[in-house]
């Protein structure tokens, strides 16, 4: 059984919180507990921020799409833009260096996504860039939202 | 981003009044925090108890203020909810900033 | 200041709950209290159900879009399909008759939307059907979510 | 749609175990309710205390069971949360179905 929804915003930071709120609610509805839903929310917000900031250089008027689909026991989120693409291998390599630098003001987004999600990948084809985030869903036996184990 | 300010003894208590500290407010949030540091408040308790969500840009604004403060003072975090505390822990910022559940404990620690 | 997000699902009842959850969360984030957010959620779900059931006759593979935008102190939700269109005046006239019939198993969707929202309209242009739902947002003075006055 | 069933004296208590009763489950929900009526349970307490959201198709399933039951019996609602109670009130179904906050009150009323 697949359950799927697509979200889309214009490339502006002002709209990103609406994505975060929606993603959190969708995750809760798919059975993720509050902490896991918050982890997906944060990862998606980081990915969408990167589209606005880097792929579109904060230029409004472009579209960022967030495709959420639950299937085979996992949530798959694809964050799509048609802006500048990213050297994913280099970004991953840099991510760990930045994360270790306590004085860095930025550069933590990729590290955060890779830490919180069960899988992260990036593909760019014909001008369409897609960052893919995977989070395992609780099995049916534990499907009810559980209190956050913080 | 509304940052409510109050003086308690030698400490400036600054409370973030938004529920979300994200890229929408990060630039303004950073400017306001830097202004506090520039206004010669070496002891700052940043109250995040109303904040449900913070992303790496919001965290970056706090790191910027902390850097500006350098060894002249101290900035501590008050009342972080689980989602906020999780981000500090994940990025190891809980080793950089002392974090207190409530203001009284932060004030006691900052004033020795 | 405009804040806007678009949601989209395939024309299947299985996906509608994801729209409901997202809409509720977006409404809460825009300052609506829990009861008002629930009213918008229900109205949008009724509208999307109608697209699936009537506009697309429960045939999957078609797109239903939900455009949410907050501006000028109101939330505007446009539910869009490209299926069969609706005689809105006739639907409104029938809505009140159905609502008065306690034994009717269906026919309450339009009545519900018109009761719960501050404005409802329907336009169909060049094959694009758009049901528009308007809900006033609390003014800045009362922007914090209030407990539902049930 | 899981409908947990239990007999209490002369009353069948049926509890909707989903958080949402919407068009996705309405057809199945209706079939299950009609099956209860067909199985000669004239007194039914439908527990909706786990339901956070119901739409007009979910309501329609309950109306269908009530119609099928006719004057042979009675179907009452237990534990409706505010969002659910609001829909019953808005559509005036609170005049058709007796609604009780808790099961004990529903059982007491159904068994006289
Ligand atoms: N969607 C993207 N498009 C283009 N470049 C990107 C994208 N996402 C990230 N990058 C590049 O990868 C770097 C690391 O990203 P990130 O870890 O999120 O940190 P930050 O965005 O704070 O710099 C960015 O500085 C940028 O150069
Ligand atoms: N999006 C739509 N496209 C085509 N016809 C519609 C649409 N929405 C509603 N209708 C028509 O209006 C009627 C009333 O709709 P509604 O009040 O939602 O009740 P119901 O869907 O339960 O019949 C429907 O039965 C259908 O004939």
């Amino acid at each position: 059984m697949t359950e799927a929804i697509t979200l889309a915003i214009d490339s502006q930071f002002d709209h990103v919180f609406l994505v975060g709120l929606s993603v959190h609610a969708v995750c809760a509805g798919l059975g993720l507990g509050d902490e896991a839903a918050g982890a997906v929310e944060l990862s998606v917000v980081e990915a969408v921020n990167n589209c606005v900031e880097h792929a579109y250089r904060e230029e409004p008027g472009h579209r960022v799409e967030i495709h959420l689909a639950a299937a085979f026991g996992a949530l798959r989120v694809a964050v799509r833009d048609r802006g500048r693409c990213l050297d994913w291998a280099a970004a991953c390599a840099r991510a760990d260096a930045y994360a270790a630098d306590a004085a860095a003001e930025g550069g933590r987004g990729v590290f955060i996504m890779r830490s919180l999600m069960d899988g992260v990948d990036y593909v760019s084809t014909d001008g369409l860039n897609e960052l893919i985030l995977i989070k395992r869903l609780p099995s049916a036996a534990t499907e009810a939202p559980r209190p956050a184990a913080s | 981003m509304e940052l409510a300010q109050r003086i308690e003894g030698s400490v400036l208590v600054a409370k973030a009044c938004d529920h979300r500290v994200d890229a929408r407010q990060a630039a303004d949030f950073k400017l306001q925090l830097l202004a506090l540091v520039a206004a010669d408040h070496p002891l700052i308790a940043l109250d995040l108890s109303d904040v449900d969500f913070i992303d790496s840009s919001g965290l970056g604004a706090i790191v910027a203020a902390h850097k500006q403060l350098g060894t002249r003072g101290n900035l501590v975090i008050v009342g972080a909810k689980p989602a906020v505390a999780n981000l500090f822990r994940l990025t190891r910022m809980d080793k950089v900033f002392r974090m207190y559940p409530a203001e009284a404990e932060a004030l006691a620690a900052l004033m020795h």
Side-chain angles (χ1 to χ4, degrees), chain A, chain B:
Chain A
M1 168 89 65
T2 304
E3 291 150 332
I5 187 168
T6 297
L7 318 177
I9 57 164
D10 193 71
S11 50
Q12 300 175 46
F13 289 137
D14 281 352
H15 303 316
V16 179
F17 77 108
L18 298 174
V19 173
L21 293 167
S22 295
V23 166
H24 195 114
V26 164
C27 286
L30 293 173
L32 286 176
D34 194 55
E35 184 170 8
V40 178
E41 174 183 13
L42 176 58
S43 299
V44 173
V45 165
E46 295 290 343
V48 174
N49 282 346
N50 281 349
C51 294
V52 174
E53 184 180 350
H54 304 299
Y56 293 125
R57 298 186 178 190
E58 296 190 41
E59 186 180 274
H62 304 281
R63 189 177 171 89
V64 182
E65 289 186 359
I66 303 94
H67 296 253
L68 298 118
F72 308 114
L75 171 67
R76 181 183 188 278
V77 188
V79 178
R80 293 190 191 158
D81 70 72
R82 293 189 163 275
R84 288 196 308 147
C85 82
L86 162 68
D87 179 344
W88 179 243
C92 291
R94 273 198 315 267
D96 296 323
Y98 271 110
D101 176 6
E105 286 176 40
R108 290 191 181 85
V110 170
F111 170 80
I112 288 169
M113 294 172 217
R114 300 217 308 159
S115 304
L116 294 178
M117 302 297 289
D118 295 315
V120 185
D121 203 358
Y122 182 91
V123 282
S124 185
T125 324
D126 297 332
L128 175 69
N129 310 316
E130 198 171 35
L131 184 90
I132 295 153
L133 306 163
I134 306 285
K135 186 81 177 175
R136 275 189 299 274
L137 293 170
S139 59
T142 57
E143 206 145 42
R146 289 163 300 178
S150 70
Chain B
M1 163 61 73
E2 202 198 321
L3 203 60
Q5 294 162 37
R6 193 160 42 81
I7 302 285
E8 291 287 341
S10 55
V11 177
L12 180 92
V13 180
K15 182 178 166 108
C17 298
D18 279 284
H19 293 304
R20 298 178 77 88
V21 181
D22 65 6
R24 184 188 205 180
Q25 2 253 351
D28 177 48
F29 184 45
K30 176 173 159 180
L31 283 181
Q32 291 198 53
L33 290 176
L34 291 180
L36 298 184
V37 174
D40 220 18
H41 289 296
L43 300 179
I44 301 174
L46 180 61
D47 184 336
L48 298 179
S49 61
D50 270 359
V51 177
D52 297 317
F53 177 87
I54 184 167
D55 69 9
S56 71
S57 67
L59 186 67
I62 303 174
V63 171
H66 183 255
K67 259 165 60 180
Q68 189 70 19
L69 200 56
T71 53
R72 285 183 296 129
N74 206 347
L75 189 164
V76 305
I77 305 295
V78 172
K81 291 186 185 180
V84 174
N86 281 349
L87 180 63
F88 275 79
R89 203 174 310 117
L90 177 66
T91 56
R92 292 184 207 106
M93 287 297 123
D94 60 336
K95 304 278 176 283
V96 173
F97 298 96
R98 280 188 285 159
M99 305 187 68
Y100 299 96
E103 186 182 309
E105 290 148 280
L107 294 179
L110 281 174
M111 301 198 228
H112 304 277

